[in-house]
Amino acid sequence: MAAYTIWIDMQDIFQYAEHNRRPSGIQRQVYEILQVLHGCTPQSEEVHIGYVRKGVDGNPACIVSAQDVENLFASLADDEASAVTEPVRKAPSVPKKTTRKYLLKSPFAKAMVFKQFNRMRHALIRNFEQMPEPLGRPLLRAGTLQMRVLRMVRDLRSQSVVRHSTSSQRTPVRIAEPVSCEGGMKPGDIFLIMGAAWADAAFGERLHAIRKTYGLKPVLLIYDLIPLTCPEWFPPQVVSTFSAWLENVVPQCSDIMVISQATRKDVQDFLAQRRLHLNQAPWVVPMGGGFGDMTAATREAEAPGLPPAGSYVLFVSTLEARKNHILMFRVWARLLREKAYEDIPTLVFAGRPASMVEDLMQQMENTEYLDGKIRLIREPSDEELRGLYKNCLFTVFPSLYEGWGLPVTESLLFGRPCVASNVTSIPEAGGKFARYFDPYDFEDVYRTIRQTIEDREGLKAWEEHIRRDFQPTPWSDTARAILKSCEVAHRSSQQPEMRAH
């Protein structure tokens, strides 16, 4: 087989890093895949990996170096101090300059202040929780009220800054000037799309230009079609942008990968409705689990300020309507009505508030976060996430629709039981090791969670079952499946197109 290059589009990740401090699910998954992709490339074949992003002056694709990609992901990592002072490690890829690159200090200095502030806040809350109830609960309420006032002041200041600033974006990551793709790309090479490219409303036109100019074969990884299948959970602009992206991009791709059988069904339904055909049926890529150095959880010191081990139930997810945090709020509110305060574990929401959760945030503030029985840990670092997973009683994941359900898998990786929804792809992520409820049946949800809290002996046996028998899927399996799909696409590119675009 002739040598070819897989050009991975990084444009959406660069754009994401300009506006966000921490990665969400898709960015974390892309990072983990890229970490192992080079090592999974077949040694016997001439398969190379390169990176591209949108160029200037209308150029649809320009080459960026592997070191610039490492800089990019370092800007989203939680190890700010080392990212400021240490050179980014090299990775085999397209040739790059030998000059050492360092990240800009200003965004990391702000991130360090944010992180130190969060640690102080978490430490105070933890101290209040450990005090005798007659003293600790009033202090916890007072601290929550003070944090609410400080947050309101911060938000007002942020709005003022935005009104008087020409840009509210983060300082961009320092990278070298992109290199022209002339002479680098050739017909038969692969253009791999595995991020959140749908955020770019003009991506379809860009993809068409890349195919026309360079003769590349697009291979698309689809995580889910939720904005199309369930538009009620998204702002109208997201729905319209995503729908337009699907209509423009999918007809240009004869090779599509998906992350679950549930997403595969949604994609097949979409293809059938549009009478589109692929070189092969949507290729289900096995999803890996974990993030960063998972072994750190057993050897590093505990992250400061987190709740005491065994005192809380964990829900890791961005706060948005579809994830169904409001259901867990209702469950804990009922627990407080029916059980003694001290018998109820704290419910920890680990993630940043996003879209369509204004009612939830208001209800939590109005109830002083259910008298301190709910805690919100915004944008937790990898260190904090490892500590939260390691020391929780169990995790919950009541989402109403998922392309996969990465927090379920992560919970099992840490040996922690997970109680989750029984809909869409979530049972694929948890298999026989998670326990499930119907998220549309409140009594079923409440009964399942209450029984799990009260049956501590059963919880220990469940933990032992997970630790003994759960076999996680490594990210290398994900990478190999992606490489195999690219190989099939490359072979088909040597033949006449199966359909007109």
Side-chain angles (χ1 to χ4, degrees):
M1 183 172 63
Y4 66 96
T5 300
I6 300 172
W7 298 99
I8 303 174
D9 186 41
M10 302 299 299
Q11 177 62 27
D12 65 292
I13 309 288
F14 276 99
Q15 289 180 329
Y16 180 90
E18 291 176 1
H19 299 271
N20 297 276
R21 179 184 292 110
R22 295 284 298 140
S24 64
I26 289 179
Q27 291 76 37
R28 284 169 56 194
Q29 292 173 69
V30 171
Y31 174 75
E32 297 297 341
I33 292 168
L34 293 184
Q35 286 287 95
V36 298
L37 192 64
H38 290 279
C40 296
T41 303
Q43 299 297 316
S44 60
E45 301 172 0
E46 293 292 325
V47 180
H48 306 288
I49 304 294
Y51 305 97
V52 296
R53 65 173 301 187
K54 187 192 303 184
V56 296
D57 300 326
N59 192 333
C62 286
I63 297 173
V64 294
S65 72
Q67 186 171 350
D68 288 335
V69 172
E70 290 288 346
N71 281 1
L72 171 66
F73 281 110
S75 75
L76 295 171
D78 60 303
D79 192 5
E80 294 90 350
S82 63
V84 172
T85 58
E86 295 179 6
V88 178
R89 77 180 191 283
K90 296 181 179 179
S93 185
V94 292
K96 50 186 178 291
K97 297 179 182 179
T98 57
T99 56
R100 300 166 81 187
K101 294 181 175 62
Y102 296 84
L103 301 181
L104 295 177
K105 293 187 178 183
S106 54
F108 293 106
K110 294 177 182 178
M112 284 294 289
V113 173
F114 177 85
K115 186 174 183 179
Q116 291 170 357
F117 174 78
N118 261 348
R119 285 184 168 181
M120 291 175 59
R121 177 168 62 92
H122 295 163
L124 284 173
I125 292 174
R126 181 168 182 171
N127 286 334
F128 294 158
E129 289 176 332
Q130 292 175 332
M131 291 179 179
E133 184 178 334
L135 178 62
R137 286 184 67 182
L139 287 173
L140 187 59
R141 289 177 179 176
T144 300
L145 181 60
Q146 288 182 340
M147 288 308 306
R148 181 180 179 184
V149 172
L150 288 173
R151 189 171 296 118
M152 291 171 64
V153 172
R154 181 201 64 188
D155 292 343
L156 287 172
R157 292 185 62 185
S158 297
Q159 292 171 12
S160 176
V161 168
V162 170
R163 284 196 301 268
H164 295 88
S165 172
T166 57
S167 174
S168 60
Q169 296 180 352
R170 290 182 64 199
T171 304
V173 181
R174 179 182 296 165
I175 63 169
E177 288 296 321
V179 180
S180 171
C181 291
E182 295 295 336
M185 293 181 173
K186 62 183 184 299
D189 282 354
I190 299 299
F191 184 65
L192 178 57
I193 310 155
M194 61 175 184
W198 60 266
D200 180 4
F203 184 82
E205 290 76 10
R206 177 175 169 234
L207 179 59
H208 177 76
I210 289 172
R211 293 171 58 239
K212 183 178 180 180
T213 304
Y214 303 108
L216 301 191
K217 187 81 170 181
V219 174
L220 173 64
L221 175 60
I222 294 180
Y223 294 85
D224 59 69
L225 301 186
I226 303 174
L228 181 70
T229 57
C230 302
E232 65 271 20
W233 293 322
F234 298 89
Q237 182 59 40
V238 172
V239 175
S240 60
T241 299
F242 185 84
S243 299
W245 177 83
L246 275 180
E247 299 292 347
N248 290 329
V249 172
V250 171
Q252 300 188 59
C253 301
S254 57
D255 294 88
I256 292 177
M257 298 175 289
V258 295
I259 64 171
S260 66
Q261 293 292 342
T263 298
R264 184 186 191 190
K265 181 182 182 302
D266 287 344
V267 171
Q268 287 177 321
D269 290 344
F270 175 85
L271 295 171
Q273 292 168 5
R274 272 69 174 179
R275 298 183 179 179
L276 299 173
H277 303 281
L278 304 177
N279 287 331
Q280 56 183 334
W283 187 295
V284 179
V285 172
M287 288 305 296
F291 53 93
D293 182 5
M294 296 291 290
T295 62
T298 60
R299 54 180 169 79
E300 67 186 7
E302 294 297 326
L306 299 183
S311 70
Y312 63 95
V313 174
L314 178 64
F315 184 0
V316 176
S317 173
T318 301
L319 277 69
E320 55 183 278
R322 169 174 58 93
K323 301 296 185 176
N324 214 8
H325 290 75
I326 191 68
L327 177 63
M328 293 298 98
F329 177 89
R330 291 175 58 208
V331 167
W332 253 254
R334 180 168 168 182
L335 285 171
L336 283 167
R337 292 194 301 269
E338 298 184 359
K339 292 176 65 67
Y341 184 91
E342 61 274 13
D343 293 336
I344 303 170
T346 302
L347 174 62
V348 174
F349 292 159
R352 62 178 176 85
S355 61
M356 300 177 67
V357 290
E358 292 81 5
D359 288 351
L360 168 68
M361 300 302 294
Q362 190 64 60
Q363 290 179 56
M364 290 197 297
E365 290 184 355
N366 289 351
T367 60
E368 297 175 349
Y369 286 77
L370 290 180
D371 285 339
K373 280 301 180 180
I374 291 182
R375 280 187 61 183
L376 172 58
I377 298 181
R378 298 171 182 250
E379 299 186 295
S381 67
D382 284 356
E383 175 193 14
E384 289 170 329
L385 272 179
R386 285 191 288 263
L388 287 169
Y389 273 122
K390 177 183 175 183
N391 293 320
C392 69
L393 281 171
F394 60 93
T395 67
V396 292
F397 195 66
S399 177
L400 295 168
Y401 210 112
E402 289 295 318
W404 175 245
L406 190 60
V408 178
T409 307
E410 289 177 349
S411 179
L412 300 176
L413 276 162
F414 281 95
R416 311 318 297 163
C418 180
V419 182
S421 299
N422 63 0
V423 297
T424 63
S425 65
I426 298 171
E428 294 182 54
K432 65 181 181 179
F433 297 96
R435 293 179 184 170
Y436 304 98
F437 53 69
D438 179 353
Y440 298 98
D441 183 345
F442 180 78
E443 292 301 324
D444 182 36
V445 177
Y446 179 75
R447 180 174 55 254
T448 302
I449 290 178
R450 177 165 178 164
Q451 288 175 351
T452 305
I453 290 173
E454 294 175 344
D455 184 11
R456 297 302 175 91
E457 289 301 318
L459 199 56
K460 290 180 180 178
W462 187 0
E463 292 174 16
E464 293 173 1
H465 171 52
I466 294 169
R467 295 181 186 279
R468 182 181 65 247
D469 299 328
F470 177 68
Q471 295 294 323
T473 299
W475 284 110
S476 56
D477 284 5
T478 310
R480 290 189 184 96
I482 290 173
L483 290 170
K484 183 63 178 178
S485 184
C486 291
E487 177 190 335
V488 172
H490 171 70
R491 291 183 185 276
S492 70
S493 69
Q494 311 303 306
Q495 305 170 1
E497 286 283 351
M498 297 183 65
R499 56 179 176 164
H501 297 312

